[in-house]
Amino acid sequence: ALHALLTALEKAGATTTDGDKKGRVFVTVAGERIELEIREKLKQVKRPLNDDEKRWYSDKNRLVTELVGTGRLHVVIHTWSGAGFKREWLESDARPIEAMLPEVAVTILAMGPHLAELRRAREEEARRAEERRREAEEERRKAQRDANRWRRFVEFARAAEEARRARALLA
């Protein structure tokens, strides 16, 4: 299923790379990296202790909870898009994984341009915020410069007034 999905995505122009140790795969569409995973759906079951486990527990009738595979595949897109794209598909008897793969591929291919647009919008907003910050800094510097000029002007006026008084006293 994963091979079929990746082949279809590559034919549509996406690039794929092997994922990390967790089995995730990375697909690049429109310059945006989308992380997805196809794994077996697990379910939690309770079972009685086996002979080896009975040695470690005092309650021999205890049940142990463990995860077991269901035989059904679960497709998960881990990359957040914020646009209401469906991000999970679970195989069922009524809908096998083969029937879901086209929908998964279309979703991934549509997410790429959307994520690129989101990135451009974030970069544009960051640029505008930086521009606003620079303008505010320039305004602050201008106000500081004006305040310094006024302070020096007042100092000169006081000095001139003192010089006038000194001249009057001398005269």
Side-chain angles (χ1 to χ4, degrees), residues 93-120:
D93 291 335
R95 196 152 180 229
I97 192 72
E98 296 82 15
M100 291 186 285
L101 289 180
E103 182 182 345
V104 174
V106 167
T107 301
I108 291 171
L109 292 173
M111 278 179 79
H114 175 72
L115 290 172
E117 182 60 34
L118 285 179
R119 181 178 41 80
R120 280 192 291 279

Side-chain angles (χ1 to χ4, degrees), residues 71-89:
R72 299 177 191 273
L73 292 178
H74 186 204
V75 180
V76 181
I77 297 176
H78 293 285
T79 303
W80 181 82
S81 66
F85 287 107
K86 185 174 179 179
R87 294 176 49 203
E88 292 189 36
W89 293 265

Side-chain angles (χ1 to χ4, degrees), residues 37-53:
E37 174 182 22
I38 296 181
R39 64 173 188 246
E40 183 179 15
K41 178 72 175 162
L42 300 175
K43 70 177 178 178
Q44 191 174 353
V45 295
K46 293 186 178 203
R47 64 165 178 80
L49 298 172
N50 60 30
D51 292 335
D52 186 45
E53 292 168 336

Side-chain angles (χ1 to χ4, degrees), residues 7 9-10 19 25 52-53 61 65 80 85 98 104 119 136-137 140 149-150 154 158 160 166 169:
T7 303
L9 290 171
E10 287 174 351
V25 177
D52 186 45
E53 292 168 336
N61 295 324
T65 304
W80 181 82
F85 287 107
E98 296 82 15
V104 174
R119 181 178 41 80
E137 180 65 22
R140 187 193 64 75
R149 286 178 182 159
W150 179 253
V154 170
R158 284 190 188 130
L169 182 65

Side-chain angles (χ1 to χ4, degrees), residues 137-148:
E137 180 65 22
E138 185 60 35
E139 284 294 320
R140 187 193 64 75
R141 276 194 232 124
K142 184 179 177 185
Q144 183 66 39
R145 204 168 35 245
D146 289 346
N148 288 342

